[in-house]
Amino acid sequence: MARKVNSIEEVDHMFEAWKLAVKIAHLWFVQTKGQPSIEMGHKIGAIVNSCDSNKWSNQLNEGETYIMQNFEIEKNTGQYKVSKHPFKLLFIKGTIVKEQQIPNIPPNIYEFISFEDILSGKASPDVLVDVIGQFLDIEQDQQHKGKRKLVIRMRDQGSNTLSCTLWGAYATKLLNFLEQPETGPVIIILTLAKIKDTNGQFPISIQNSMYGSKLLINEDIIQIQEYKNSLDSIPICESFSQGISQFSQATQCITVDKFCINAEVKSVKEINEVDRDVYCVTVAKIDKFFVANGWKYDACSKCNTKGDPAAAPYICRGCGKNITETIIRYKLEVQVSHQKECAKFVLWDKQCVQLLGVSAAELSNQLIEVLTDGELDPMAFPEAIDGILGKTLAFRVKVQPTYGKSSVNQISDDAQIIESILGNLPIHEDPIISCNKGKSVLDVADLNDSQSFSATADYDPGLLGQLTPAKRQSLEEQLDDQGSQYLQSCQLSSNKLTKIIKTE
C-alpha cells in the first residue's frame, strides 16, 4: 500500500520517511568555499549540501511541483530562517524526488507581512519575510565597500512608511526601472527580506537577503494589480508619509535645550492642576480628537486670525491689513494622555501639516473631489486625520486654565527629547481615572517611531503676550471658539475625566 501524502505541518524530527506534495516557491544557490549548496523555502526550508548540488541542480526547478520523500530532519535554527516552521529538510542519499502536476497549489505563493507588524516589532527579525508596498522616493544612493547601496522609502495602503535597503544587482534593477517613462504608482514586492532592528538613530528597516530575495517591480501578477487597485480607494492619504519624511529630515537638529527653553517640565496631571497661564513641556500620547469645533477654520492670509470669506474684502482685526480672500487652516482639539491622566490640547496649522503631510486646503479639495455631490460638510472629519492618533510626542504648550485646554506651539518625537522630559516627570501612584481611548490607526512605539519630527505652531496665542481676562475674550473671538461655554462647563481635570529551497 502506497504511503499517504503528509502535510508540511506534520513534519517533525521523530520521523524521516515523510512524503510531501510541494511546489518549490523559491530556490537559490549559496556560494561556499567549494561547490554551491542549494536552498529552498517558504512553508518549510530545505537544503541540498554542496557535495550533492550537482546531482540535484538539474532536477529541481523553481515554480515546479513535486512529490518528495525521505529526508533528514533538522531543527530550523540560524540568524535568518526562511520559514517559521520549527524544522527544515535536508536532502540525503535516499531522498526521492518526482516531478508531478499538483494543480491545487497556487502559481504565486507569498506570505506578505504588514509594515505595521514590522515597525511595531511584532514580526520576528530572525525570519525572512515577503513585503509589498508602493515606492515613494530614494533616501540614499551610494557605493559601500565596492557595492551599490540604495535606500528607498516604501509605504503601505495606509500611512505607514518603511525604509528598504537594496544592494548590488537589486539596487541596479530598481534604478534601471525608474529611468523608464513609467506612469502611475510603482509597486514593489521583495521576497525573503531581512528585518533590520533599530540601531541607534536608525529605525527598523528591511533589506534584501544576499542570495534568496527576489525583487518584483510592477510585474503583471495578481498581487501587484490588486495592490494598485487598493491605492485608488485612498487618494487622500497620498502625500501623508512624504510630508512626514521631508519634515523630519529638516528638523532633526532641534536640541532638548531649545525645545524646553523658558518652559516648566510638567506631567499631564500637573498641567491639569495649573491655575495660571504658563509654558510647559510634557510627553503624552494623542488618544482622540474632539469633533465639537471641527478641524479647520477660515483664516486671514496674513496673520491667521479667524476671518469671514463671505465678508471679503475686509480689514482684518488681527493685523489691520486689507484682506481679499481667506485661507483654510487646521485647528484640531485633541485628547492626550500620560499615566492614565488626560488633558485637552489644541494643535494648530503648521503642526497638523507636518504630521499629516497635506495642508487643510488640499485636504478639503481632495475630499470634495471624491464626494458624489461635490459638497463638503465643514464638520466632517477626513479619515486622513486619523493618522495623528496613537502618536506619542513631546509637547511644548501654553497652558490656559481659563479655557480648560492648552495651546500647543511645538511638538517633537525625537527620542532624546522625549527621554529627557520623561526623566524629569514625576511618577503618579494609583491614578484615580482612566482615559477613554480613541481609535489608533498607527501602531507606534513610544520612543521608537519610524520617523522623527518637530513642529512649531503657526499661530500661538501666547505670542500675543500676557493676557488680561478682557484680552482672553478677544482671543476667543478671533479663533471663533464656538464651544467655549461648553469647555468651561466640562473643563478637563484629573478628578472629572473618567539554493535554499523554500517549498510550499
Side-chain angles (χ1 to χ4, degrees), residues 147-177:
K147 185 178 290 188
R148 189 74 172 263
K149 178 185 179 182
L150 184 70
V151 182
I152 64 171
R153 194 160 52 91
M154 301 168 62
R155 74 159 218 184
D156 61 11
Q157 290 132 313
S159 54
N160 298 304
T161 63
L162 183 66
S163 289
C164 171
T165 301
L166 300 175
W167 293 91
Y170 298 94
T172 301
K173 180 177 180 178
L174 178 59
L175 290 172
N176 289 341
F177 178 88

Side-chain angles (χ1 to χ4, degrees), residues 58-190:
N58 293 326
Q59 298 184 49
L60 302 173
N61 296 295
E62 188 173 279
E64 299 298 334
T65 53
Y66 301 87
I67 298 295
M68 297 184 178
Q69 298 182 68
N70 304 341
F71 309 91
E72 185 175 316
I73 309 300
E74 295 184 345
K75 287 188 175 181
N76 188 18
T77 59
Q79 184 178 6
Y80 295 110
K81 298 185 278 287
V82 298
S83 77
K84 297 179 181 179
H85 199 290
F87 299 98
K88 58 186 175 183
L89 311 176
L90 178 63
F91 279 52
I92 56 177
K93 183 178 180 180
T95 300
I96 302 170
V97 174
K98 181 180 179 182
E99 185 172 351
Q100 182 171 314
Q101 293 296 317
I102 308 174
N104 60 334
I105 299 180
N108 295 304
I109 304 166
Y110 303 102
E111 288 189 345
F112 295 122
I113 191 165
S114 70
F115 284 18
E116 187 173 346
D117 284 349
I118 294 173
L119 294 168
S120 66
K122 182 179 179 180
S124 175
D126 63 352
V127 177
L128 302 178
V129 298
D130 297 341
V131 295
I132 183 170
Q134 180 185 0
F135 167 82
L136 287 179
D137 55 32
I138 295 174
E139 296 181 330
Q140 186 182 97
D141 182 8
Q142 66 179 44
Q143 291 291 325
H144 181 78
K145 297 181 179 180
K147 185 178 290 188
R148 189 74 172 263
K149 178 185 179 182
L150 184 70
V151 182
I152 64 171
R153 194 160 52 91
M154 301 168 62
R155 74 159 218 184
D156 61 11
Q157 290 132 313
S159 54
N160 298 304
T161 63
L162 183 66
S163 289
C164 171
T165 301
L166 300 175
W167 293 91
Y170 298 94
T172 301
K173 180 177 180 178
L174 178 59
L175 290 172
N176 289 341
F177 178 88
L178 295 176
E179 290 177 357
Q180 302 173 18
E182 182 80 10
T183 59
V186 176
I187 307 304
I188 291 173
I189 291 177
L190 183 64

Side-chain angles (χ1 to χ4, degrees), residues 115-117 119-121 159-161 240 244 285 386-393 413 418 440-451 453:
F115 284 18
E116 187 173 346
D117 284 349
L119 294 168
S120 66
S159 54
N160 298 304
T161 63
F240 174 82
I244 291 179
K285 185 176 84 169
D386 293 2
I388 72 169
L389 299 177
K391 300 286 287 182
T392 295
L393 307 170
D413 75 345
I418 292 177
S440 175
V441 295
L442 292 181
D443 187 6
V444 184
D446 279 359
L447 300 181
N448 291 308
D449 263 343
S450 61
Q451 305 290 342
F453 55 85

Side-chain angles (χ1 to χ4, degrees), residues 491-503:
Q491 181 175 357
L492 301 180
S493 68
S494 60
N495 58 8
K496 285 189 179 179
L497 262 189
T498 40
K499 206 166 179 179
I500 297 169
I501 304 175
K502 200 171 181 186
T503 57

Side-chain angles (χ1 to χ4, degrees), residues 353-372:
V353 169
Q354 309 309 337
L355 284 168
L356 298 172
V358 60
S359 71
E362 290 172 323
L363 189 53
S364 292
N365 290 336
Q366 290 175 5
L367 282 172
I368 292 172
E369 289 174 1
V370 299
L371 293 176
T372 56

Side-chain angles (χ1 to χ4, degrees), residues 12-79:
D12 63 27
H13 66 295
M14 301 302 294
F15 188 69
E16 293 190 350
W18 299 105
K19 183 178 181 181
L20 304 174
V22 301
K23 168 181 284 206
I24 299 180
H26 304 285
L27 181 148
W28 62 99
F29 292 85
V30 176
Q31 189 63 48
T32 56
K33 292 181 180 180
Q35 285 284 106
S37 60
I38 305 173
E39 299 189 13
M40 297 162 275
H42 191 67
K43 293 287 189 180
I44 191 169
I47 298 175
V48 176
N49 283 330
S50 57
C51 59
D52 295 322
S53 62
N54 285 337
K55 173 184 176 181
W56 293 106
S57 59
N58 293 326
Q59 298 184 49
L60 302 173
N61 296 295
E62 188 173 279
E64 299 298 334
T65 53
Y66 301 87
I67 298 295
M68 297 184 178
Q69 298 182 68
N70 304 341
F71 309 91
E72 185 175 316
I73 309 300
E74 295 184 345
K75 287 188 175 181
N76 188 18
T77 59
Q79 184 178 6

Side-chain angles (χ1 to χ4, degrees), residues 266-269 282-285 287 336-343 392 422 425-428 431 435 446:
K266 291 187 180 294
S267 66
V268 171
K269 181 177 187 298
T282 193
V283 170
K285 185 176 84 169
D287 290 327
V336 302
S337 66
H338 179 66
Q339 294 182 351
K340 297 186 179 181
E341 294 284 338
C342 302
T392 295
L422 286 174
L425 292 180
I427 298 177
H428 303 295
C435 300
D446 279 359

